[in-house]
Amino acid sequence: MEPRFVELLSGFLPFLDGRELTPESTLPELGLDSMHSIDLLFAIEDTFGVPLPDEDLNDTTFATAGSLWAAVQAAREAEGGSAGAVAAA
């Protein structure tokens, strides 16, 4: 997971309490609820320049930090890598 993603996601996890965010971190247990998920979705789109497809807007995608990161990476790749190149700059 990119540090920028970890930093962004951490801001939406009220129960993280300074612990390290890992791919296995369970987002609902760390306080990510449906309202935070919507705000997080918009923040991801703004930060990484890609929308998540409708089929990724589900509990499975938002279950762990790793599953959400995988969806972000897939969306970046679907955009032809151009969003990833811009985001990496």
Side-chain angles (χ1 to χ4, degrees):
M1 298 186 301
E2 282 185 17
R4 182 170 53 147
F5 174 76
V6 171
E7 182 178 341
L8 174 70
L9 181 54
S10 295
F12 290 89
L13 304 174
F15 305 139
L16 187 59
D17 296 328
R19 290 179 283 175
E20 180 182 0
L21 190 63
T22 68
E24 296 78 26
S25 297
T26 306
L27 301 181
E29 289 178 8
L30 295 173
L32 187 69
D33 60 20
S34 59
M35 293 302 290
H36 285 116
S37 294
I38 293 167
D39 292 338
L40 175 58
L41 177 64
F42 290 129
I44 287 170
E45 290 178 356
D46 289 344
T47 300
F48 292 97
V50 294
L52 293 183
D54 289 344
E55 59 268 13
D56 285 343
L57 305 181
N58 57 55
D59 290 340
T60 302
T61 298
F62 287 84
T64 67
S67 61
L68 183 55
W69 176 241
V72 171
Q73 285 293 87
R76 291 168 78 181
E77 290 172 12
E79 291 285 320
S82 61
V86 170

